[in-house]
Amino acid sequence: MINFRQIILFFINIIPSTSVIISGKIPTSLNGKKILLNGPTSNTNYATEFDGTGTITSVVFENNEPIISTVEIPSDTEMVFPLSDFIQRDYLKLIMKLPWILMSTKHIQSGTRNTAVQKFNNKYYAVEESCKPIKLEFDNNRIKLSEKSISIDRMAAHMLDKNTIFSYTAFDKYPLRINNTQTIPWSPIKQPAFVHDGRTTDDNKYHIFTLTSTGLGCFAEYLNNDIDIPFDPKLNKAGWIIHDIEKNECKELFMNEYADLFHIAHIEHIFKGIYKIYAPFIYGFNEWIYNGVDNLEIKLKEIIIDLNKFKVLDITNTDIRMDFINKLGNELIGCSITKKPYAIFYNILSKNFRKLKIPGGIVREIIPFKRMLLYFSHELNNTITYLYIICMETGDIISKILVPNRQPGFHTTFFD
């Protein structure tokens, strides 16, 4: 009897850069487009799925064919702090790394392998959690490592807009910087573990950053083995860092709850100085790190803020579980982050939403493009990885493409 899985694994292991279209055809509208997936190659010897060798899978569409390639992100030249160091409680290793923090935080990698690909000044960069980016090049549409950036010290996994990068350097007096040159006048007493995302408002008056509740802390509980990572989930109330671009002034705007805000889905300018922010609120992040998706509570919320009076006017909980959100027209389209993959659609005008069961296994970020959805899927116990192109309305498969196997990533980026 023919073992389909063994045939697939033969292709993926013997000729991993060969494009293998399992079913369907590549739509002509995708020619010239690139889709790239971040994340670890393997997390076999690590305590969390954030750790491992960072890898980028690239698929470039040309002449109705996918050109597939991968690169690994080197990590042996910098001081790395993977979460597994804390969970495995190698205290000697951790203590030996402390001088690096005192000498220069700019040469420390987060170790999360949460690598994404961003395009800045017409150059592609592999970025981690606010670490020094690595330049990428495309040779005959195959991705290649170039060199560590000389001009950019640190770069976050998200951009404020298409022309503006930012970085967050924990332990610095002024931890936020824009375009690697402008220091944001924000000096928090309690520094969050991450400032992962930020957006420029459409009127170009403000930069708005996420302010998460989790930060370093609870060290006594950690040393007493009560918790696995020295994170304090209630370091701050959740909120926003508001940077007035013209005045170059910065303030914190808190809400009355503890939550982790990693992503901003969309910001809408309602009236003069009044904005609506769409963002997923994450609860139970610390437990999810080492227990899996079932412990992660996600709620998409709408927050109306008044930056004239500098206060939160209203918070609406949509009760929709969705994150890794992209916008197409009036719809926010995201992933449910559950063991059964769903695409979630939320119309910001009508307030209607729908769930679409999509083919595949573990799915993180879903890219909408011309009434299609593109996403990477990790299947058969993470032994096979596919890129799916499906119909946005029905979920029918347009094309299913075999790509080199790897562990589930987090951010998927699409360039057209």
Side-chain angles (χ1 to χ4, degrees):
M1 184 182 220
I2 296 176
N3 189 317
F4 180 72
R5 179 173 178 273
Q6 288 181 348
I7 293 174
I8 295 298
L9 291 177
F10 170 80
F11 276 113
I12 208 69
N13 292 319
I14 303 302
I15 43 176
S17 63
T18 299
S19 61
V20 181
I21 301 177
I22 302 301
S23 61
K25 295 181 179 180
I26 305 298
T28 302
S29 60
L30 285 172
N31 283 332
K33 312 300 188 288
K34 301 179 179 72
I35 185 167
L36 302 105
L37 173 66
N38 78 311
T41 300
S42 172
N43 60 1
T44 304
N45 297 317
Y46 294 89
T48 80
E49 59 183 292
F50 287 95
D51 304 316
T53 302
T55 301
I56 295 169
T57 297
S58 166
V59 181
V60 181
F61 300 102
E62 183 181 41
N63 298 325
N64 301 333
E65 292 289 338
I67 300 173
I68 302 169
S69 55
T70 63
V71 290
E72 287 193 355
I73 308 302
S75 60
D76 56 349
T77 58
E78 304 284 7
M79 185 56 62
V80 183
F81 278 85
L83 293 176
S84 56
D85 276 3
F86 295 96
I87 294 177
Q88 293 165 356
R89 299 181 180 276
D90 192 335
Y91 297 126
L92 179 60
K93 183 189 291 186
L94 289 169
I95 291 172
M96 291 177 65
K97 293 180 180 182
L98 290 179
W100 283 80
I101 297 178
L102 299 176
M103 288 188 295
S104 176
T105 58
K106 292 182 179 180
H107 296 288
I108 295 176
Q109 290 179 315
S110 66
T112 64
R113 311 324 309 161
N114 188 17
T115 308
V117 176
Q118 295 293 355
K119 188 178 183 181
F120 178 61
N121 287 341
N122 290 318
K123 295 183 177 68
Y124 294 94
Y125 294 93
V127 295
E128 205 179 316
E129 192 66 58
S130 276
C131 295
K132 181 179 281 292
I134 297 177
K135 285 185 181 180
L136 300 168
E137 296 177 349
F138 285 90
D139 184 5
N140 292 323
N141 286 321
R142 297 185 183 278
I143 195 168
K144 290 187 176 182
L145 290 176
S146 177
E147 60 186 1
K148 289 197 173 182
S149 174
I150 298 174
S151 60
I152 303 174
D153 285 336
R154 300 176 75 83
M155 183 174 174
H158 292 277
M159 297 176 64
L160 292 169
D161 53 59
K162 290 184 178 180
N163 301 308
T164 312
I165 63 173
F166 78 95
S167 64
Y168 174 72
T169 307
F171 309 117
D172 277 7
K173 182 178 181 181
Y174 297 101
L176 277 176
R177 291 173 69 88
I178 291 178
N179 280 347
N180 202 49
T181 56
Q182 180 185 358
T183 299
I184 299 298
W186 174 62
S187 184
I189 298 174
K190 296 180 179 180
Q191 292 197 1
F194 314 101
V195 176
H196 184 72
D197 198 3
R199 293 289 179 94
T200 305
T201 57
D202 288 343
D203 55 10
N204 290 312
K205 289 188 175 181
Y206 299 97
H207 296 134
I208 300 180
F209 301 89
T210 54
L211 186 56
T212 192
S213 291
T214 296
L216 286 176
C218 297
F219 294 105
E221 293 89 338
Y222 171 67
L223 293 174
N224 199 37
N225 285 330
D226 294 330
I227 58 176
D228 288 327
I229 300 176
F231 279 171
D232 182 355
K234 296 184 177 180
L235 184 75
N236 288 304
K237 293 287 181 73
W240 316 96
I241 305 162
I242 312 294
H243 175 230
D244 186 311
I245 297 173
E246 183 179 351
K247 295 180 181 179
N248 194 30
E249 295 177 350
C250 219
K251 293 181 180 179
E252 297 169 338
L253 184 59
F254 291 103
M255 297 173 295
N256 192 30
E257 69 169 314
Y258 296 103
D260 287 317
L261 305 178
F262 293 112
H263 298 127
I264 296 174
H266 176 57
I267 298 178
E268 178 183 336
H269 187 196
I270 298 176
F271 192 63
K272 293 180 180 180
I274 299 178
Y275 301 85
K276 179 182 286 188
I277 304 173
Y278 299 82
F281 282 51
I282 307 298
Y283 305 91
F285 174 72
N286 289 355
E287 293 78 8
W288 176 80
I289 287 176
Y290 39 82
N291 286 331
V293 298
D294 290 342
N295 295 326
L296 189 63
E297 184 181 358
I298 304 172
K299 294 180 179 180
L300 177 67
K301 296 189 180 185
E302 301 175 359
I303 305 94
I304 299 178
I305 60 174
D306 183 346
L307 296 185
N308 301 307
K309 299 180 180 179
F310 212 81
K311 66 177 184 178
V312 176
L313 297 180
D314 186 58
I315 299 176
T316 300
N317 181 9
T318 68
D319 276 326
I320 300 172
R321 180 190 176 100
M322 65 185 302
D323 199 354
F324 298 97
I325 299 168
N326 292 282
K327 185 173 180 288
L328 183 66
N330 293 322
E331 284 191 314
L332 301 180
I333 303 172
C335 183
S336 58
I337 316 184
T338 56
K339 293 178 181 178
K340 294 181 179 179
Y342 288 92
I344 311 296
F345 302 80
Y346 179 62
N347 190 302
I348 61 176
L349 296 182
S350 67
K351 308 301 180 184
N352 294 325
F353 88 100
R354 69 183 178 101
K355 292 175 64 175
L356 176 67
K357 179 73 172 67
I358 59 178
I362 296 177
V363 175
R364 292 276 161 72
E365 186 154 7
I366 300 170
I367 305 295
F369 179 72
K370 290 186 181 297
R371 312 314 300 173
M372 296 179 291
L373 300 177
L374 292 81
Y375 58 89
F376 291 90
S377 171
H378 310 271
E379 304 175 17
L380 295 178
N381 258 347
N382 291 336
T383 59
I384 294 179
T385 306
Y386 297 104
L387 171 63
Y388 282 88
I389 305 168
I390 68 171
C391 175
M392 184 182 295
E393 281 74 27
T394 65
D396 293 338
I397 296 174
I398 298 171
S399 183
K400 181 179 178 181
I401 304 162
L402 181 68
V403 299
N405 183 49
R406 35 124 12 113
Q407 295 298 302
F410 288 89
H411 289 297
T412 299
T413 43
F414 181 79
F415 301 99
D416 59 2

